Amino acid sequence: AQKVTQVQTEISVVEKEDVTLDCVYETRDTTYYLFWYKQPPSGELVFLIRRNSFDEQNEISGRYSWNFQKSTSSFNFTITASQVVDSAVYFCALSLNTGNQFYFGTGTSLTVIP
Amino acid sequence: EAGVVQSPRYKIIEKKQPVAFWCNPISGHNTLYWYLQNLGQGPELLIRYENEEAVDDSQLPKDRFSAERLKGVDSTLKIQPAELGDSAVYLCASSIGQGTATGELFFGEGSRLTVL
């Protein structure tokens, strides 16, 4: 069975602080994909990143970075120098190579205080 | 390019009334999903279409929920009769992938249902 766990339900940081959102996944498949989505107050989930299970290289995109570690089944997301516009709920998700099905975590609500 | 369009954005009904939600996916996206999102939770799959075929509806409460995707484009999700516990956000998403889950999902803004 597949499962995604986001243990942090709510995080508050002061603007310009760095923050890391944790994501732990479970699957027995060797080929899978991991995603992060952002859900601002408007409600629409916005795709941030996709990684496949064979690519453990960390990725940086502006103030965002992702740390994928298969050894610990984790795919953590760091926002550097947080801004108020980063306030949203962030979801980690897992999909397998077959079935076109996505498994979402319960989300982490991030509040950036000005 | 237009994104996934959903309507209505908000709907308030009394219990036992019917309700329908409409979704227009991104042009060319073969796969369409309906998700249920309760407050403080992640999206949970209700039904997935590959073109016009419902390939995964195992989580759809078929006694009161129904869905269709005519001609493999737009889709409608219906609840009849609605219950108090159906109050949630109903999200539609589409992806270009077919058969494999390599493509990211593109979501609409959701339809927020309140059942009184």
Side-chain angles (χ1 to χ4, degrees):
Chain A
Q2 282 57 237
K3 186 178 179 181
V4 176
T5 302
Q6 296 178 254
V7 294
Q8 305 149 309
T9 55
E10 295 183 4
I11 300 177
S12 292
V13 298
V14 177
E15 198 171 21
K16 299 184 182 179
E17 288 184 346
D18 299 346
V19 59
T20 296
L21 310 181
D22 297 333
C23 173
V24 175
Y25 62 92
E26 297 176 27
T27 180
R28 292 187 176 181
D29 283 42
T30 56
T31 303
Y32 52 88
Y33 301 84
L34 296 166
F35 301 78
W36 275 96
Y37 284 84
K38 174 182 180 180
Q39 187 175 39
S42 62
E44 179 179 346
L45 280 92
V46 177
F47 166 79
L48 295 178
I49 189 171
R50 175 186 66 230
R51 298 303 268 175
N52 71 56
S53 53
F54 299 107
D55 184 0
E56 286 193 73
Q57 278 193 335
N58 292 331
E59 181 156 339
I60 298 175
S61 176
R63 297 184 297 105
Y64 295 171
S65 62
W66 291 270
N67 185 332
F68 177 25
Q69 292 194 345
K70 288 180 74 172
S71 60
T72 56
S73 296
S74 65
F75 186 44
N76 297 336
F77 173 30
T78 298
I79 302 174
T80 303
S82 59
Q83 299 177 1
V84 173
V85 294
D86 296 328
S87 296
V89 181
Y90 292 85
F91 291 95
C92 180
L94 164 74
S95 69
L96 305 180
N97 196 40
T98 58
N100 231 350
Q101 187 169 352
F102 290 75
Y103 304 87
F104 285 86
T106 52
T108 297
S109 178
L110 173 65
T111 301
V112 180
I113 304 166
Chain B
E1 179 180 326
V4 176
V5 179
Q6 290 188 246
S7 68
R9 285 294 313 279
Y10 304 93
K11 189 73 175 180
I12 301 174
I13 61 173
E14 294 188 347
K15 63 181 181 182
K16 300 185 181 180
Q17 293 300 305
V19 63
F21 305 112
W22 173 80
C23 174
N24 179 241
I26 293 174
S27 177
H29 282 196
N30 300 314
T31 307
L32 184 146
Y33 307 75
W34 281 103
Y35 282 92
L36 166 70
Q37 187 177 23
N38 286 305
L39 188 64
Q41 300 294 316
E44 300 172 25
L45 181 68
L46 288 172
I47 189 168
R48 172 169 61 91
Y49 283 93
E50 298 284 356
N51 297 305
E52 66 275 7
E53 181 183 0
V55 296
D56 185 354
D57 63 355
S58 57
Q59 302 303 312
L60 190 71
K62 298 181 183 63
D63 57 336
R64 297 183 300 107
F65 287 65
S66 64
E68 61 182 9
R69 190 183 184 195
L70 299 176
K71 301 180 181 179
V73 181
D74 294 359
S75 178
T76 303
L77 176 69
K78 297 179 181 178
I79 308 174
Q80 182 171 12
E83 297 179 352
L84 294 176
D86 296 332
S87 295
V89 176
Y90 292 84
L91 296 167
C92 180
S94 68
S95 72
I96 199 168
Q98 184 172 357
T100 60
T102 57
E104 67 265 26
L105 298 178
F106 294 83
F107 283 87
E109 292 182 306
S111 294
R112 182 178 296 276
L113 173 66
T114 301
V115 182
L116 303 176

